[in-house]
Amino acid sequence: MIPSSLLGAAVFFGVLAMLGWLLIRETLRIVLKPLLIFVVLALAAVWAGILDGTVVEQALAWVGDRLILGATALSDWAVGAFETAAASAPPGGGAS
């Protein structure tokens, strides 16, 4: 005889697996369609000579520059916020 707790666990995990599969399948369907269109257009542009190595390199360099600028600005802001908080703290760390 199969224990009822084992049967209940199997049904529970089966339902979780079905829900997980449904979510993964729908997510992939939503994400992969635009990605597939982008890849096909990029390959067509490369084949037609519109998108060559220099254009790709310039685009990647632009994205990299923006990421570095964003990280620098974020770190500058964090340092400024920390220094402001440290300067306005009472002497002795505020312990009462």
Side-chain angles (χ1 to χ4, degrees):
M1 176 108 187
I2 298 175
S4 60
S5 61
L6 180 63
L7 185 60
V11 170
F12 177 73
F13 286 119
V15 170
L16 281 180
M18 287 189 302
L19 286 174
W21 175 250
L22 178 69
L23 290 173
I24 289 170
R25 191 180 72 195
E26 288 301 313
T27 301
L28 287 177
R29 184 178 62 87
I30 291 169
V31 170
L32 288 180
K33 281 184 181 179
L35 184 64
L36 181 63
I37 292 170
F38 176 75
V39 168
V40 168
L41 289 175
L43 288 175
V46 168
W47 178 74
I50 297 170
L51 190 63
D52 61 351
T54 58
V55 173
V56 172
E57 183 180 354
Q58 289 173 357
L60 291 175
W62 182 84
V63 169
D65 289 343
R66 295 305 175 262
L67 287 173
I68 290 170
L69 287 173
T72 304
L74 183 62
S75 65
D76 289 343
W77 171 81
V79 167
F82 178 75
E83 288 174 348
T84 302
S88 64
S96 303

